Amino acid sequence: MAQPYKLFTSCLWQTTSAVVSTEQRLYLFDPAYFPHEIEAIADYVQRERNGRELVLVLTHGDWDHVVGVGKFPDATVIAQKGILTDGRIEKKLNKAKRFDGSYYVVRSYEVGMPKFTKLVEDAQEWQEVFFLPVPGHTPDQMATLFREQKLLVVGDMLSNLEFPFIDDSSAYLESLEKIERLVLQGDVEEVIPGHGVPAKGREEILHRIERDRQYLLDTRAVVFEGIANNVEEDVLKEQFSQLTYDGVSIDEHLRSSHDENRDQLCKEAISQKG
């Protein structure tokens, strides 16, 4: 069976942009990042479209995932409705503009507010796909399931490159459970993450789910128990720094993200403690 999608991978953080074909539509996810990479995506879409509707789905509103929307002005643009909360997407677009300005990146289109055709609130069927909110990395993250192809595009989770980057650890754990149920039911056989390479087959997908879950449980245990027991800050930081991901020490290049997770979990633990 031919692969039902074309995957483009940016040289920036290996950010993925998937193009999935159905009989009536072409689905494009998170076009990223540099101008020549987005031009290549646009050229492919133009060649493959053949009169079909172009549906551009944003898995979430982080700046590296939304920067390419302006290149596709006639697309049907879909995202989870939280993308508009508290000026979130405006802030992210401004961050993309600052990044471009810092590195003299010039684009052939304006990096501006997308014109959303549909904002998803709850899990729902739509045309050939099933939209499933999966918050945790961000409040507005959304997965898209192609039932016929048993393909799930998830955004920034289940990566081969990253441990969970946490916005809400409880929500993240619940989102992992949602995806795990789909896998165990036989609805998903391949997962495309927002960064890195796809996970193919039940065993690999479940392994990625389990290692992300274990990281969340381990980090929560250190921080929540530490806060509850009034452990000194320096001791808690040292304990947290010794944690591993999938049995391996945290890569030095991801240490800052690991520390940011600690800070977020401290906020959650303090809120819970009252």
Side-chain angles (χ1 to χ4, degrees):
M1 181 177 177
Q3 185 167 268
Y5 65 87
K6 171 74 172 177
L7 189 64
F8 294 84
T9 303
S10 173
C11 58
L12 179 69
W13 298 323
Q14 295 189 39
T15 306
T16 60
S17 303
V19 184
V20 185
S21 296
T22 68
E23 185 174 342
Q24 294 182 319
R25 294 170 187 85
L26 209 60
Y27 289 81
L28 168 60
F29 292 84
D30 299 351
Y33 180 86
F34 292 109
H36 70 283
E37 295 171 329
I38 293 175
E39 290 291 344
I41 296 169
D43 288 345
Y44 176 81
V45 167
Q46 181 65 26
R47 291 196 307 271
E48 298 296 319
R49 192 168 175 180
N50 295 323
R52 289 178 288 177
E53 178 184 10
L54 176 62
V55 181
L56 196 160
V57 181
L58 296 176
T59 62
H60 61 298
D62 280 353
W63 61 282
D64 52 321
H65 295 264
V66 301
V67 72
V69 178
K71 183 65 179 177
F72 306 89
D74 68 334
T76 296
V77 182
I78 301 177
Q80 202 276 339
K81 75 167 191 174
I83 200 169
L84 296 180
T85 302
D86 298 328
R88 168 173 165 72
I89 191 169
E90 291 91 341
K91 295 173 185 175
K92 299 299 182 178
L93 289 166
N94 286 334
K95 190 171 183 178
K97 291 175 184 177
R98 290 195 298 272
F99 180 92
D100 283 0
S102 296
Y103 294 97
Y104 311 149
V105 176
V106 179
R107 300 181 184 274
S108 63
Y109 60 90
E110 181 182 356
V111 176
M113 174 64 74
K115 295 180 180 179
F116 293 103
T117 309
K118 178 178 176 63
L119 292 169
V120 176
E121 182 172 3
D122 300 313
Q124 62 178 262
E125 303 283 351
W126 185 83
Q127 305 296 356
E128 311 95 333
V129 301
F130 174 64
F131 292 125
L132 180 67
V134 284
H137 168 65
T138 64
D140 61 325
Q141 186 158 267
M142 180 177 72
T144 303
L145 173 63
F146 293 84
R147 291 194 183 277
E148 183 177 343
Q149 297 92 337
K150 298 189 176 183
L151 174 69
L152 188 69
V153 183
V154 294
D156 281 5
M157 58 194 306
L158 302 181
S159 172
N160 64 304
L161 301 172
E162 303 170 343
F163 48 78
F165 293 179
I166 304 169
D167 171 77
D168 182 327
S169 63
S170 294
Y172 209 130
L173 286 166
E174 291 174 4
S175 293
L176 289 174
E177 289 180 8
K178 292 177 187 177
I179 295 172
E180 185 176 49
R181 283 196 294 270
L182 291 174
V183 177
L184 294 176
Q185 291 166 189
D187 294 327
V188 175
E189 295 181 353
E190 185 167 359
V191 169
I192 299 177
H195 301 272
V197 301
K200 300 182 179 182
R202 176 183 172 124
E203 183 177 350
E204 183 179 359
I205 298 169
L206 290 177
H207 172 68
R208 291 196 189 184
I209 291 171
E210 184 53 35
R211 70 184 184 183
D212 282 6
R213 178 189 288 122
Q214 194 60 54
Y215 173 85
L216 290 165
L217 293 174
D218 289 346
T219 54
R220 279 170 59 94
V222 168
V223 173
F224 280 58
E225 291 173 15
I227 295 293
N229 295 318
N230 298 312
V231 172
E232 292 185 6
E233 183 178 356
D234 289 346
V235 174
L236 192 150
K237 285 184 177 180
E238 177 60 24
Q239 291 175 346
F240 199 87
S241 71
Q242 298 303 312
L243 291 173
T244 62
Y245 175 62
D246 201 22
V248 178
S249 297
I250 302 298
D251 188 284
E252 62 176 307
H253 301 297
L254 293 174
R255 276 280 166 189
S256 61
S257 296
H258 185 59
D259 291 341
E260 288 172 8
N261 283 345
R262 182 196 65 228
D263 294 342
Q264 172 58 29
L265 290 168
C266 284
K267 293 177 185 177
E268 295 179 18
I270 291 169
S271 177
Q272 178 176 290
K273 185 178 181 182

